[in-house]
Amino acid sequence: MTTNVDVVVIGGGQAGLAAGYYLRRAGHRFVILDDQERPGGAWPHMWSSLHLFSPAEFASLPGWPMPRWPDGFPPARHVVDYLTAYETRYGLPIERPVRVQAVRRDGPDLLVDTDRGQWRARRVISATGTWQRPFLPSYPGINVFTGRQLHTVDYRSAAEFTGSDVVVVGGGNSAAQLVAEISTTARTIWVTNRPPRFLPDGVDGRALFELASRRAVALAAGRTDPGGIAALGDIVMVPEVLAARERGVLTALPMFDRLTVDGIAWGERHQRADVVVWATGFRPALAHLRPLRLRDHTGTVPVAGTRALKEPRLHLLGYGDWTGPGSATLLGVGRTAKAAVADLDLDLDLDTRPA
Ligand code: FAD
């Protein structure tokens, strides 16, 4: 069976919900298809001790502020509760669980094939995030090492590593937070392929969002790009990371050149390890767009704003700064979602096809 709508949104995380908020306000017929059993996008899968890097008021979606968290920065479960309540509050039409397998061109429309039937849409917004595509770099010896290897997505708590020798790989926020936590129960070594860049103490998500806003305004006005978050540094000194620095465990070694049977090695120097945690980031989850052949030679999807250059009926939301400054953050995605829906609005108005 094929269901006809104006817009299909793929992904029911924060980016999909922000799109839904503006689509509903514009009066479009739309559906949000999400492959999870429950609301929250990636947030229910994150490790339980994870806290946001900003206060609740800097983590709100459009329309309804995230309720305050009384004690410091909110934990991941507060985000899940907020996103769950947000869906209900705005009566967003979410079909769950529905896995989108492919988006294909069909005359003036796009066909969305799923494991629960087919949707025909005039426009598609893809908001599938990155959580389903953990990135693992390839290093010599990766298949030789007999210890345990896991990615950030598999991490649950430091308790399971008690007494072990653990290597954490990666230079971003996740890596720094995992080092801070795992080092409370295990002998922990941190390796990065360039020296970690710490934000000044006290610069948290608030400052980052202000920076993203300034960037969005500058770009919209056609001024020179003042640079994104990376211009400031990478790692937010959240309380756990500050505490780790106080304990003297926040010192990174250069990247090893190979894994061995029972550890890691830099030239002749060997370090025993039971566990290697790859906190090496993510890639956009875009397999469902493969039939559209959108990627360029660099492997990314070129966009103008949020619109795919090679398929103007498709918008991409979230994923990273390449779909808009701060688009892959709770607060930032609202601005990008608004722009995407406004852009697609114009489009639909220009569409002369009979309903
Ligand atoms: P997701 O939350 O991943 O949602 C995408 C949804 O689409 C998921 O439900 C997924 O299952 C679904 N999906 C995927 N493929 C398909 C398909 N083919 N068919 C149907 N459904 C599909 N941001 C902040 O603002 N503040 C923070 O403090 C912060 N901390 C972070 C900490 C970590 C460890 C990480 C990884 C990210 C953090 N972020 C933070 C960044 C960002 O807010 C999150 O990554 C967020 O989950 C992105 O939301 P999203 O909606 O783009 O993607």
Side-chain angles (χ1 to χ4, degrees):
M1 198 188 84
T2 303
T3 311
N4 290 294
V5 287
D6 288 339
V7 185
V8 166
V9 179
I10 309 172
Q14 65 204 34
L17 302 193
Y21 173 87
Y22 287 110
L23 287 168
R24 190 174 165 278
R25 222 169 64 159
H28 292 307
R29 273 182 318 147
F30 71 100
V31 66
I32 301 174
L33 306 178
D34 186 51
D35 64 359
Q36 298 295 297
E37 296 281 343
R38 53 184 172 152
W43 291 101
H45 303 286
M46 297 194 192
W47 62 98
S48 58
S49 65
L50 178 73
H51 284 68
L52 292 183
F53 53 66
S54 63
E57 56 270 35
F58 282 80
S60 296
L61 293 183
W64 180 47
M66 178 183 280
R68 281 174 182 275
W69 182 256
D71 184 21
F73 298 166
R77 68 172 186 283
H78 187 63
V79 183
V80 176
D81 291 346
Y82 170 61
L83 297 181
T84 307
Y86 189 92
E87 290 186 10
T88 312
R89 185 182 181 98
Y90 292 110
L92 296 177
I94 305 182
E95 302 275 343
R96 200 182 261 130
V98 177
R99 173 84 186 161
V100 173
Q101 290 149 340
V103 179
R104 294 182 288 126
R105 297 182 177 94
D106 188 43
D109 298 324
L110 291 171
L111 286 181
V112 180
D113 297 328
T114 81
D115 58 358
R116 299 274 172 98
Q118 189 179 64
W119 273 262
R120 176 181 290 277
R122 297 160 78 190
R123 304 290 178 262
V124 167
I125 298 177
S126 185
T128 45
T130 59
W131 189 258
Q132 292 186 7
R133 273 200 69 204
F135 173 69
L136 273 161
S138 176
Y139 267 89
I142 201 160
N143 297 320
V144 170
F145 179 63
T146 51
R148 180 173 172 208
Q149 297 187 60
L150 65 155
H151 186 272
T152 316
V153 293
D154 308 308
Y155 178 75
R156 289 292 157 262
S157 90
E160 57 184 303
F161 305 120
T162 305
S164 308
D165 287 302
V166 179
V167 177
V168 177
V169 185
N173 280 291
S174 295
Q177 290 181 26
L178 294 186
V179 169
E181 188 160 300
I182 295 171
S183 61
T184 60
T185 66
R187 290 174 296 279
T188 308
I189 287 180
W190 186 18
V191 297
T192 59
N193 60 9
R194 60 173 166 77
R197 302 176 335 134
F198 299 102
L199 286 160
D201 294 3
V203 173
D204 59 32
R206 282 170 279 215
L208 301 182
F209 290 124
E210 277 153 20
L211 193 77
S213 297
R214 279 205 298 278
R215 182 164 184 236
V217 170
L219 293 178
R223 293 200 298 271
T224 320
D225 187 346
I229 287 164
L232 259 188
D234 299 313
I235 297 170
V236 183
M237 300 306 289
V238 294
E240 297 76 18
V241 176
L242 276 173
R245 189 179 69 194
E246 295 304 306
R247 283 187 281 119
V249 294
L250 209 59
T251 315
L253 297 174
M255 190 62 200
F256 49 80
D257 36 60
R258 64 191 188 283
L259 290 103
T260 65
V261 174
D262 59 352
I264 55 173
W266 303 258
E268 293 303 304
R269 180 180 167 199
H270 185 259
Q271 172 69 47
R272 225 195 69 74
D274 303 303
V275 182
V276 175
V277 184
W278 296 95
T280 39
F282 299 85
R283 297 288 181 266
L286 298 174
H288 56 291
L289 302 180
R290 214 169 274 148
L292 300 175
R293 298 178 169 276
L294 302 175
R295 289 173 192 256
D296 65 8
H297 64 282
T298 65
T300 59
V301 175
V303 286
T306 56
R307 188 193 289 252
L309 285 182
K310 290 190 197 159
E311 179 42 82
R313 293 166 293 185
L314 175 78
H315 289 258
L316 294 107
L317 215 55
Y319 300 114
D321 265 11
W322 56 277
T323 67
S327 186
T329 62
L330 282 153
L331 186 67
V333 74
R335 179 175 40 219
T336 327
K338 186 177 185 183
V341 172
D343 195 12
L344 148 159
D345 252 348
L346 278 175
D347 239 0
L348 285 173
D349 290 346
L350 289 174
D351 220 338
T352 50
R353 207 170 59 98

